[in-house]
Amino acid sequence: MPFVPKEAKKKVSAGYKTIYLRQSVIDAVDKIAKENNTSFNNVVVSMIERCLEEQETGD
């Protein structure tokens, strides 16, 4: 099943972190963002949240 990012949420309390990614990862995330008409940031946040949810539920 292909990854689908979550709908953009209303603004919540947040912070900034800088991460370094391989260009191939950046390109793949950009492609997902473009296909889903959303931002790079929303795709990354959606992926992280999904991973954390799976870790909590043991999936």
Side-chain angles (χ1 to χ4, degrees), residues 5-47:
K6 294 181 178 181
E7 293 293 319
K9 298 179 183 177
K10 293 182 181 179
K11 296 291 180 181
V12 296
S13 178
Y16 290 94
K17 291 288 183 185
T18 300
I19 59 172
Y20 293 90
L21 303 169
R22 289 186 317 249
Q23 188 62 48
S24 60
V25 173
I26 293 169
D27 294 343
V29 173
D30 275 336
K31 182 178 180 209
I32 293 168
K34 189 172 189 175
E35 289 170 351
N36 290 276
N37 194 32
T38 192
S39 68
F40 179 95
N41 187 72
N42 188 47
V43 173
V44 171
V45 170
S46 295
M47 288 178 165

mmCIF file of all heavy atoms in Angstrom, residues 5-47:
data_model
loop_
_atom_site.group_PDB
_atom_site.id
_atom_site.type_symbol
_atom_site.label_atom_id
_atom_site.label_comp_id
_atom_site.label_asym_id
_atom_site.label_seq_id
_atom_site.Cartn_x
_atom_site.Cartn_y
_atom_site.Cartn_z
ATOM 1 N N PRO A 5 0.298 10.884 2.841
ATOM 2 C CA PRO A 5 0.446 11.782 3.968
ATOM 3 C C PRO A 5 -0.901 12.203 4.534
ATOM 4 O O PRO A 5 -1.913 12.213 3.832
ATOM 5 C CB PRO A 5 1.182 12.991 3.398
ATOM 6 C CG PRO A 5 1.263 12.818 1.946
ATOM 7 C CD PRO A 5 0.781 11.451 1.599
ATOM 8 N N LYS A 6 -0.902 12.564 5.815
ATOM 9 C CA LYS A 6 -2.115 13.051 6.462
ATOM 10 C C LYS A 6 -2.465 14.423 5.921
ATOM 11 O O LYS A 6 -1.611 15.140 5.412
ATOM 12 C CB LYS A 6 -1.901 13.166 7.977
ATOM 13 C CG LYS A 6 -1.698 11.850 8.661
ATOM 14 C CD LYS A 6 -1.514 12.078 10.150
ATOM 15 C CE LYS A 6 -1.347 10.757 10.872
ATOM 16 N NZ LYS A 6 -1.191 10.952 12.319
ATOM 17 N N GLU A 7 -3.730 14.786 6.059
ATOM 18 C CA GLU A 7 -4.142 16.135 5.703
ATOM 19 C C GLU A 7 -3.418 17.110 6.624
ATOM 20 O O GLU A 7 -3.170 16.803 7.794
ATOM 21 C CB GLU A 7 -5.657 16.297 5.872
ATOM 22 C CG GLU A 7 -6.471 15.480 4.887
ATOM 23 C CD GLU A 7 -6.306 15.971 3.463
ATOM 24 O OE1 GLU A 7 -6.284 17.205 3.237
ATOM 25 O OE2 GLU A 7 -6.201 15.117 2.569
ATOM 26 N N ALA A 8 -3.093 18.275 6.119
ATOM 27 C CA ALA A 8 -2.430 19.286 6.942
ATOM 28 C C ALA A 8 -3.353 19.678 8.086
ATOM 29 O O ALA A 8 -4.557 19.875 7.901
ATOM 30 C CB ALA A 8 -2.071 20.505 6.100
ATOM 31 N N LYS A 9 -2.783 19.758 9.275
ATOM 32 C CA LYS A 9 -3.557 20.087 10.464
ATOM 33 C C LYS A 9 -3.477 21.575 10.754
ATOM 34 O O LYS A 9 -2.655 22.292 10.191
ATOM 35 C CB LYS A 9 -3.003 19.315 11.674
ATOM 36 C CG LYS A 9 -3.075 17.829 11.549
ATOM 37 C CD LYS A 9 -2.474 17.193 12.788
ATOM 38 C CE LYS A 9 -2.462 15.689 12.668
ATOM 39 N NZ LYS A 9 -1.833 15.041 13.810
ATOM 40 N N LYS A 10 -4.331 21.999 11.674
ATOM 41 C CA LYS A 10 -4.235 23.371 12.148
ATOM 42 C C LYS A 10 -2.917 23.512 12.896
ATOM 43 O O LYS A 10 -2.357 22.543 13.380
ATOM 44 C CB LYS A 10 -5.404 23.691 13.081
ATOM 45 C CG LYS A 10 -6.745 23.712 12.380
ATOM 46 C CD LYS A 10 -7.835 24.077 13.354
ATOM 47 C CE LYS A 10 -9.184 24.066 12.649
ATOM 48 N NZ LYS A 10 -10.277 24.378 13.545
ATOM 49 N N LYS A 11 -2.453 24.725 13.011
ATOM 50 C CA LYS A 11 -1.181 24.979 13.677
ATOM 51 C C LYS A 11 -1.255 24.556 15.145
ATOM 52 O O LYS A 11 -2.231 24.810 15.825
ATOM 53 C CB LYS A 11 -0.812 26.459 13.592
ATOM 54 C CG LYS A 11 -0.565 26.946 12.180
ATOM 55 C CD LYS A 11 0.705 26.352 11.611
ATOM 56 C CE LYS A 11 0.934 26.849 10.205
ATOM 57 N NZ LYS A 11 2.099 26.310 9.602
ATOM 58 N N VAL A 12 -0.229 23.872 15.583
ATOM 59 C CA VAL A 12 -0.102 23.444 16.969
ATOM 60 C C VAL A 12 1.258 23.884 17.474
ATOM 61 O O VAL A 12 2.137 24.273 16.699
ATOM 62 C CB VAL A 12 -0.255 21.909 17.122
ATOM 63 C CG1 VAL A 12 -1.643 21.456 16.726
ATOM 64 C CG2 VAL A 12 0.789 21.182 16.319
ATOM 65 N N SER A 13 1.458 23.793 18.770
ATOM 66 C CA SER A 13 2.753 24.123 19.340
ATOM 67 C C SER A 13 3.805 23.241 18.681
ATOM 68 O O SER A 13 3.643 22.026 18.582
ATOM 69 C CB SER A 13 2.724 23.882 20.842
ATOM 70 O OG SER A 13 3.985 24.147 21.403
ATOM 71 N N ALA A 14 4.875 23.847 18.199
ATOM 72 C CA ALA A 14 5.872 23.089 17.446
ATOM 73 C C ALA A 14 7.255 23.676 17.663
ATOM 74 O O ALA A 14 7.408 24.758 18.220
ATOM 75 C CB ALA A 14 5.519 23.109 15.958
ATOM 76 N N GLY A 15 8.260 22.957 17.219
ATOM 77 C CA GLY A 15 9.639 23.412 17.286
ATOM 78 C C GLY A 15 10.340 23.100 15.982
ATOM 79 O O GLY A 15 9.779 22.459 15.101
ATOM 80 N N TYR A 16 11.570 23.551 15.868
ATOM 81 C CA TYR A 16 12.346 23.341 14.661
ATOM 82 C C TYR A 16 13.543 22.455 14.948
ATOM 83 O O TYR A 16 14.190 22.584 15.979
ATOM 84 C CB TYR A 16 12.857 24.674 14.096
ATOM 85 C CG TYR A 16 11.764 25.526 13.523
ATOM 86 C CD1 TYR A 16 11.146 26.488 14.300
ATOM 87 C CD2 TYR A 16 11.356 25.364 12.214
ATOM 88 C CE1 TYR A 16 10.134 27.274 13.790
ATOM 89 C CE2 TYR A 16 10.341 26.140 11.682
ATOM 90 C CZ TYR A 16 9.733 27.106 12.475
ATOM 91 O OH TYR A 16 8.740 27.872 11.965
ATOM 92 N N LYS A 17 13.824 21.555 14.026
ATOM 93 C CA LYS A 17 15.018 20.712 14.064
ATOM 94 C C LYS A 17 15.601 20.698 12.660
ATOM 95 O O LYS A 17 14.873 20.718 11.660
ATOM 96 C CB LYS A 17 14.689 19.271 14.469
ATOM 97 C CG LYS A 17 14.264 19.122 15.905
ATOM 98 C CD LYS A 17 15.453 19.314 16.819
ATOM 99 C CE LYS A 17 15.056 19.102 18.259
ATOM 100 N NZ LYS A 17 16.133 19.384 19.171
ATOM 101 N N THR A 18 16.901 20.642 12.588
ATOM 102 C CA THR A 18 17.575 20.520 11.304
ATOM 103 C C THR A 18 18.015 19.076 11.151
ATOM 104 O O THR A 18 18.614 18.506 12.064
ATOM 105 C CB THR A 18 18.803 21.445 11.239
ATOM 106 O OG1 THR A 18 18.361 22.786 11.422
ATOM 107 C CG2 THR A 18 19.524 21.304 9.913
ATOM 108 N N ILE A 19 17.710 18.482 10.001
ATOM 109 C CA ILE A 19 18.159 17.120 9.735
ATOM 110 C C ILE A 19 18.867 17.102 8.380
ATOM 111 O O ILE A 19 18.569 17.902 7.499
ATOM 112 C CB ILE A 19 17.005 16.097 9.758
ATOM 113 C CG1 ILE A 19 15.931 16.434 8.714
ATOM 114 C CG2 ILE A 19 16.383 16.019 11.135
ATOM 115 C CD1 ILE A 19 14.866 15.366 8.564
ATOM 116 N N TYR A 20 19.799 16.189 8.255
ATOM 117 C CA TYR A 20 20.523 16.026 7.005
ATOM 118 C C TYR A 20 20.084 14.708 6.390
ATOM 119 O O TYR A 20 20.094 13.677 7.047
ATOM 120 C CB TYR A 20 22.040 16.028 7.248
ATOM 121 C CG TYR A 20 22.509 17.383 7.723
ATOM 122 C CD1 TYR A 20 22.549 17.682 9.078
ATOM 123 C CD2 TYR A 20 22.877 18.359 6.806
ATOM 124 C CE1 TYR A 20 22.958 18.930 9.512
ATOM 125 C CE2 TYR A 20 23.290 19.610 7.243
ATOM 126 C CZ TYR A 20 23.327 19.889 8.592
ATOM 127 O OH TYR A 20 23.723 21.121 9.025
ATOM 128 N N LEU A 21 19.681 14.783 5.125
ATOM 129 C CA LEU A 21 19.173 13.612 4.408
ATOM 130 C C LEU A 21 19.957 13.415 3.128
ATOM 131 O O LEU A 21 20.411 14.386 2.504
ATOM 132 C CB LEU A 21 17.691 13.808 4.052
ATOM 133 C CG LEU A 21 16.735 14.091 5.199
ATOM 134 C CD1 LEU A 21 15.381 14.526 4.651
ATOM 135 C CD2 LEU A 21 16.589 12.863 6.073
ATOM 136 N N ARG A 22 20.077 12.147 2.726
ATOM 137 C CA ARG A 22 20.673 11.871 1.409
ATOM 138 C C ARG A 22 19.781 12.504 0.338
ATOM 139 O O ARG A 22 18.560 12.591 0.496
ATOM 140 C CB ARG A 22 20.748 10.368 1.165
ATOM 141 C CG ARG A 22 21.775 9.661 2.002
ATOM 142 C CD ARG A 22 21.879 8.199 1.587
ATOM 143 N NE ARG A 22 20.572 7.608 1.366
ATOM 144 C CZ ARG A 22 20.028 6.678 2.138
ATOM 145 N NH1 ARG A 22 20.676 6.189 3.159
ATOM 146 N NH2 ARG A 22 18.830 6.209 1.871
ATOM 147 N N GLN A 23 20.381 12.921 -0.748
ATOM 148 C CA GLN A 23 19.618 13.543 -1.830
ATOM 149 C C GLN A 23 18.553 12.599 -2.360
ATOM 150 O O GLN A 23 17.456 13.030 -2.715
ATOM 151 C CB GLN A 23 20.545 14.000 -2.967
ATOM 152 C CG GLN A 23 19.825 14.814 -4.026
ATOM 153 C CD GLN A 23 19.224 16.099 -3.498
ATOM 154 O OE1 GLN A 23 19.892 16.859 -2.792
ATOM 155 N NE2 GLN A 23 17.974 16.361 -3.823
ATOM 156 N N SER A 24 18.831 11.299 -2.382
ATOM 157 C CA SER A 24 17.838 10.339 -2.882
ATOM 158 C C SER A 24 16.594 10.316 -1.988
ATOM 159 O O SER A 24 15.473 10.158 -2.487
ATOM 160 C CB SER A 24 18.443 8.933 -2.972
ATOM 161 O OG SER A 24 18.872 8.489 -1.695
ATOM 162 N N VAL A 25 16.778 10.507 -0.680
ATOM 163 C CA VAL A 25 15.633 10.569 0.245
ATOM 164 C C VAL A 25 14.845 11.857 -0.003
ATOM 165 O O VAL A 25 13.608 11.839 -0.068
ATOM 166 C CB VAL A 25 16.112 10.482 1.709
ATOM 167 C CG1 VAL A 25 14.960 10.725 2.669
ATOM 168 C CG2 VAL A 25 16.772 9.139 1.982
ATOM 169 N N ILE A 26 15.550 12.957 -0.166
ATOM 170 C CA ILE A 26 14.891 14.235 -0.455
ATOM 171 C C ILE A 26 14.067 14.134 -1.735
ATOM 172 O O ILE A 26 12.913 14.557 -1.786
ATOM 173 C CB ILE A 26 15.933 15.366 -0.563
ATOM 174 C CG1 ILE A 26 16.573 15.605 0.806
ATOM 175 C CG2 ILE A 26 15.315 16.646 -1.120
ATOM 176 C CD1 ILE A 26 17.791 16.509 0.773
ATOM 177 N N ASP A 27 14.648 13.538 -2.761
ATOM 178 C CA ASP A 27 13.945 13.393 -4.038
ATOM 179 C C ASP A 27 12.690 12.531 -3.889
ATOM 180 O O ASP A 27 11.633 12.862 -4.442
ATOM 181 C CB ASP A 27 14.869 12.785 -5.092
ATOM 182 C CG ASP A 27 16.030 13.697 -5.460
ATOM 183 O OD1 ASP A 27 15.973 14.917 -5.166
ATOM 184 O OD2 ASP A 27 17.016 13.184 -6.029
ATOM 185 N N ALA A 28 12.796 11.437 -3.125
ATOM 186 C CA ALA A 28 11.645 10.549 -2.934
ATOM 187 C C ALA A 28 10.530 11.247 -2.159
ATOM 188 O O ALA A 28 9.348 11.138 -2.512
ATOM 189 C CB ALA A 28 12.080 9.279 -2.213
ATOM 190 N N VAL A 29 10.897 11.992 -1.115
ATOM 191 C CA VAL A 29 9.892 12.714 -0.327
ATOM 192 C C VAL A 29 9.268 13.828 -1.171
ATOM 193 O O VAL A 29 8.049 14.030 -1.130
ATOM 194 C CB VAL A 29 10.499 13.264 0.981
ATOM 195 C CG1 VAL A 29 9.502 14.153 1.711
ATOM 196 C CG2 VAL A 29 10.946 12.121 1.880
ATOM 197 N N ASP A 30 10.070 14.538 -1.933
ATOM 198 C CA ASP A 30 9.537 15.576 -2.830
ATOM 199 C C ASP A 30 8.531 14.990 -3.815
ATOM 200 O O ASP A 30 7.492 15.596 -4.098
ATOM 201 C CB ASP A 30 10.665 16.253 -3.613
ATOM 202 C CG ASP A 30 11.316 17.397 -2.862
ATOM 203 O OD1 ASP A 30 10.671 17.990 -1.972
ATOM 204 O OD2 ASP A 30 12.486 17.696 -3.163
ATOM 205 N N LYS A 31 8.823 13.801 -4.333
ATOM 206 C CA LYS A 31 7.914 13.152 -5.285
ATOM 207 C C LYS A 31 6.574 12.834 -4.613
ATOM 208 O O LYS A 31 5.513 13.088 -5.184
ATOM 209 C CB LYS A 31 8.549 11.873 -5.822
ATOM 210 C CG LYS A 31 7.708 11.167 -6.853
ATOM 211 C CD LYS A 31 8.386 9.926 -7.390
ATOM 212 C CE LYS A 31 7.478 9.267 -8.418
ATOM 213 N NZ LYS A 31 7.669 7.854 -8.488
ATOM 214 N N ILE A 32 6.617 12.291 -3.403
ATOM 215 C CA ILE A 32 5.381 11.992 -2.666
ATOM 216 C C ILE A 32 4.601 13.276 -2.405
ATOM 217 O O ILE A 32 3.380 13.322 -2.580
ATOM 218 C CB ILE A 32 5.695 11.261 -1.339
ATOM 219 C CG1 ILE A 32 6.265 9.870 -1.618
ATOM 220 C CG2 ILE A 32 4.453 11.165 -0.456
ATOM 221 C CD1 ILE A 32 6.866 9.189 -0.399
ATOM 222 N N ALA A 33 5.301 14.326 -2.008
ATOM 223 C CA ALA A 33 4.640 15.603 -1.734
ATOM 224 C C ALA A 33 3.945 16.140 -2.977
ATOM 225 O O ALA A 33 2.787 16.567 -2.916
ATOM 226 C CB ALA A 33 5.652 16.617 -1.208
ATOM 227 N N LYS A 34 4.634 16.097 -4.094
ATOM 228 C CA LYS A 34 4.062 16.602 -5.349
ATOM 229 C C LYS A 34 2.843 15.774 -5.766
ATOM 230 O O LYS A 34 1.816 16.321 -6.156
ATOM 231 C CB LYS A 34 5.125 16.579 -6.453
ATOM 232 C CG LYS A 34 4.705 17.264 -7.706
ATOM 233 C CD LYS A 34 5.863 17.373 -8.686
ATOM 234 C CE LYS A 34 5.482 18.259 -9.844
ATOM 235 N NZ LYS A 34 6.605 18.489 -10.736
ATOM 236 N N GLU A 35 2.940 14.447 -5.651
ATOM 237 C CA GLU A 35 1.836 13.562 -6.034
ATOM 238 C C GLU A 35 0.599 13.779 -5.156
ATOM 239 O O GLU A 35 -0.518 13.519 -5.590
ATOM 240 C CB GLU A 35 2.268 12.104 -5.926
ATOM 241 C CG GLU A 35 3.255 11.680 -6.982
ATOM 242 C CD GLU A 35 3.861 10.309 -6.735
ATOM 243 O OE1 GLU A 35 3.649 9.722 -5.650
ATOM 244 O OE2 GLU A 35 4.560 9.818 -7.645
ATOM 245 N N ASN A 36 0.806 14.247 -3.929
ATOM 246 C CA ASN A 36 -0.295 14.438 -2.989
ATOM 247 C C ASN A 36 -0.629 15.903 -2.754
ATOM 248 O O ASN A 36 -1.394 16.233 -1.843
ATOM 249 C CB ASN A 36 0.041 13.755 -1.661
ATOM 250 C CG ASN A 36 0.014 12.258 -1.794
ATOM 251 O OD1 ASN A 36 -1.032 11.640 -1.701
ATOM 252 N ND2 ASN A 36 1.176 11.654 -2.030
ATOM 253 N N ASN A 37 -0.052 16.774 -3.580
ATOM 254 C CA ASN A 37 -0.318 18.205 -3.504
ATOM 255 C C ASN A 37 -0.162 18.733 -2.069
ATOM 256 O O ASN A 37 -1.059 19.362 -1.520
ATOM 257 C CB ASN A 37 -1.713 18.530 -4.053
ATOM 258 C CG ASN A 37 -1.896 20.005 -4.306
ATOM 259 O OD1 ASN A 37 -0.946 20.698 -4.642
ATOM 260 N ND2 ASN A 37 -3.112 20.481 -4.119
ATOM 261 N N THR A 38 0.956 18.416 -1.460
ATOM 262 C CA THR A 38 1.236 18.851 -0.098
ATOM 263 C C THR A 38 2.708 19.227 0.010
ATOM 264 O O THR A 38 3.437 19.198 -0.977
ATOM 265 C CB THR A 38 0.840 17.757 0.927
ATOM 266 O OG1 THR A 38 0.867 18.312 2.245
ATOM 267 C CG2 THR A 38 1.716 16.534 0.839
ATOM 268 N N SER A 39 3.130 19.588 1.193
ATOM 269 C CA SER A 39 4.508 20.047 1.383
ATOM 270 C C SER A 39 5.446 18.910 1.763
ATOM 271 O O SER A 39 5.025 17.874 2.281
ATOM 272 C CB SER A 39 4.544 21.109 2.488
ATOM 273 O OG SER A 39 4.233 20.522 3.742
ATOM 274 N N PHE A 40 6.714 19.154 1.532
ATOM 275 C CA PHE A 40 7.770 18.240 1.959
ATOM 276 C C PHE A 40 7.642 18.017 3.462
ATOM 277 O O PHE A 40 7.686 16.888 3.941
ATOM 278 C CB PHE A 40 9.131 18.863 1.615
ATOM 279 C CG PHE A 40 10.312 18.034 2.012
ATOM 280 C CD1 PHE A 40 10.913 17.186 1.103
ATOM 281 C CD2 PHE A 40 10.846 18.117 3.293
ATOM 282 C CE1 PHE A 40 12.020 16.419 1.461
ATOM 283 C CE2 PHE A 40 11.951 17.359 3.658
ATOM 284 C CZ PHE A 40 12.539 16.512 2.739
ATOM 285 N N ASN A 41 7.474 19.092 4.211
ATOM 286 C CA ASN A 41 7.376 19.009 5.666
ATOM 287 C C ASN A 41 6.208 18.126 6.091
ATOM 288 O O ASN A 41 6.348 17.299 6.995
ATOM 289 C CB ASN A 41 7.222 20.412 6.260
ATOM 290 C CG ASN A 41 7.291 20.396 7.755
ATOM 291 O OD1 ASN A 41 8.352 20.202 8.330
ATOM 292 N ND2 ASN A 41 6.152 20.596 8.403
ATOM 293 N N ASN A 42 5.046 18.284 5.464
ATOM 294 C CA ASN A 42 3.880 17.479 5.839
ATOM 295 C C ASN A 42 4.133 15.997 5.595
ATOM 296 O O ASN A 42 3.730 15.154 6.401
ATOM 297 C CB ASN A 42 2.628 17.938 5.091
ATOM 298 C CG ASN A 42 1.384 17.249 5.600
ATOM 299 O OD1 ASN A 42 1.148 17.161 6.802
ATOM 300 N ND2 ASN A 42 0.590 16.742 4.680
ATOM 301 N N VAL A 43 4.812 15.670 4.527
ATOM 302 C CA VAL A 43 5.123 14.264 4.249
ATOM 303 C C VAL A 43 6.061 13.716 5.323
ATOM 304 O O VAL A 43 5.823 12.636 5.875
ATOM 305 C CB VAL A 43 5.748 14.092 2.844
ATOM 306 C CG1 VAL A 43 6.215 12.660 2.631
ATOM 307 C CG2 VAL A 43 4.753 14.484 1.764
ATOM 308 N N VAL A 44 7.102 14.451 5.658
ATOM 309 C CA VAL A 44 8.062 13.981 6.664
ATOM 310 C C VAL A 44 7.371 13.822 8.015
ATOM 311 O O VAL A 44 7.533 12.795 8.681
ATOM 312 C CB VAL A 44 9.272 14.937 6.760
ATOM 313 C CG1 VAL A 44 10.154 14.577 7.936
ATOM 314 C CG2 VAL A 44 10.066 14.910 5.459
ATOM 315 N N VAL A 45 6.583 14.814 8.432
ATOM 316 C CA VAL A 45 5.876 14.729 9.711
ATOM 317 C C VAL A 45 4.918 13.546 9.706
ATOM 318 O O VAL A 45 4.833 12.793 10.679
ATOM 319 C CB VAL A 45 5.151 16.057 10.024
ATOM 320 C CG1 VAL A 45 4.216 15.908 11.210
ATOM 321 C CG2 VAL A 45 6.159 17.168 10.277
ATOM 322 N N SER A 46 4.191 13.353 8.611
ATOM 323 C CA SER A 46 3.258 12.221 8.507
ATOM 324 C C SER A 46 3.981 10.890 8.640
ATOM 325 O O SER A 46 3.511 9.973 9.319
ATOM 326 C CB SER A 46 2.514 12.259 7.168
ATOM 327 O OG SER A 46 1.694 13.398 7.072
ATOM 328 N N MET A 47 5.141 10.775 7.996
ATOM 329 C CA MET A 47 5.921 9.537 8.082
ATOM 330 C C MET A 47 6.398 9.276 9.503
ATOM 331 O O MET A 47 6.313 8.152 10.000
ATOM 332 C CB MET A 47 7.111 9.597 7.128
ATOM 333 C CG MET A 47 6.758 9.495 5.683
ATOM 334 S SD MET A 47 8.236 9.650 4.664
ATOM 335 C CE MET A 47 7.616 9.044 3.104
#
